[in-house]
Each structure stands twice: as C-alpha cells, then as structure tokens.
Amino acid sequence: PLVGSVLTRGRSDKSRSDAATLLRAIALADADHHEKIVKALSELLGAGTTQAQEHATVLLLALCPTGKEHKQARGAVANQRPFKMLIRELRSTSTTLRMHASAVLDSLAADLGQNLSSIAAAGGIKPLVGLLDGASADAASEVVQTQEHAAQIVAAMAEGSDEYAASVAREGGIPLCVRLLEAGSIRAKASAAHTIRALSSRFAGQVEDSGAVEHLVRLLSSHSLDSQELAAHALTGIAAGGRKEKI
C-alpha cells in the first residue's frame, strides 16, 4: 500500500518512477504478489496526477507483455477489469498516457475473445477509431505508436464479429483506414489493410468509394510480405463483395 501511495501521491516524478520500478520487481518475483499488484494498479488508473496515471499504466503494461508465454500474466490483468479506465485514458490530453493505455489494450486484445468483448462493452470502439485520425508516419513518436496500437485493435475488432465490424464502419473507420494506407507508418498501413480486408465483403461499396483500391494496389509493392498479403486479401474481398452487391 505504501508503494502504491507513493506511485499516485509521490512528491516528485523520480519518486513515482522508483516506486513503479520496485512494484514491477516485486510482481515479477512472485505470482501472488503479481496478482495483488495488478489489482492495486487497476484501482489506481485514473487516480492522482497525469504523471501518476502514466506511471501506473506503464507498469501495468510491463506486467502484461505480449507473446504466448505471457498469456497467464495478461489474464491476470484482464481479470481485474481495467478496460473502462484504460479507455478513459485514451481521451486524455497527455499523449504519453494515451500511448501507454493503447499499448495495454493492444496487448490484451491479442487474446481476442472475451477481452475484445470487454473493450467493446466499455465503449472502446469509438475512441479507438478516433485515434486513427490525425497522424502521419513522420509525426511525433508517441502519436505514431498510439495510432499503431489503435489500428491493430481496430483490425482485431473488425475481424472479431459482424457487430464489431459494423461499429467500426459506423464510426468512420473505413475512410480513416484509407488515410492510413496513404500516410501511416508501415505497421499502421498493415493494420489498416487488415481492417479493410475484414470489412470489404460486407461494405464493399463503401470501401471502394473511399479510394481504398488505389492504395491497396500500391501496398502490393510493399517491402513487407505481410502487408502485401493483407492488401491482396482486401482486394479479393472488395471484388467478392462487389459481385454480391450486384446480384
């Protein structure tokens, strides 16, 4: 409790940073401590100053890393239901806090299923789609990373269910993904192509009208094999969807 108090009410940024480092070391050393610290951190989200929230969120991220070998750790974080507060942080004026919150959600979304449902239930689709707007590949690093995380989650949402796909389209996800195809980072472009591929069969007309085809064709010449494959699948989906609409 004392370390958590310093994390949220410490007089200096250094004291909060030191507290976060100590909490991480304790959590990684013992499974029982990991669960208790994750619970405490989830309760600290949205508390205290912006800097305190940044420290709490980045520590939560350290305790739910990506990779199959860390699925249990991510489960421990998801079990504390931090989704609503993380999504609230996506609306923060702090670019650092938005980046860390989107990174935690991205890590949790990798497990799909229940976590995607929790993100959607907490009202996450609208702010996540909104984060696709307003950044180019040469923007500030934190803004680009936030956009990349959001784009990856939106792609998972679009592929997760027809309901989520419809929500992504309704919130303006298609034109925003087309902008990413034009000016986003390599990672954001791949996620945008993934989203368009997921939406293409049901929303072929909207996708085609948005100018996606031109950018997807260009992506076929990308140095990234994954991007090439996603672009090819998206173009196939648009063609198939178009045929359905004409029948």
Side-chain angles (χ1 to χ4, degrees), residues 81-146:
R81 321 306 297 165
F83 301 98
K84 184 176 181 179
M85 294 309 300
L86 287 168
I87 289 164
R88 180 180 295 181
E89 290 182 347
L90 294 179
R91 299 184 174 93
S92 170
T93 57
S94 165
T95 56
T96 300
L97 185 54
R98 291 200 301 270
M99 178 184 69
H100 293 322
S102 65
V104 175
L105 288 168
D106 191 4
S107 182
L108 295 176
D111 295 319
L112 305 179
Q114 185 60 41
N115 289 349
L116 284 183
S117 298
S118 297
I119 292 171
I125 293 179
K126 183 174 183 176
L128 285 165
V129 171
L131 288 174
L132 304 183
D133 194 13
S136 60
D138 59 354
S141 175
E142 290 182 340
V143 176
V144 171
Q145 288 183 57
T146 300

Side-chain angles (χ1 to χ4, degrees), residues 37-50:
I37 290 173
V38 166
K39 184 177 187 298
L41 285 171
S42 298
E43 294 171 352
L44 293 176
L45 296 179
T49 65
T50 298

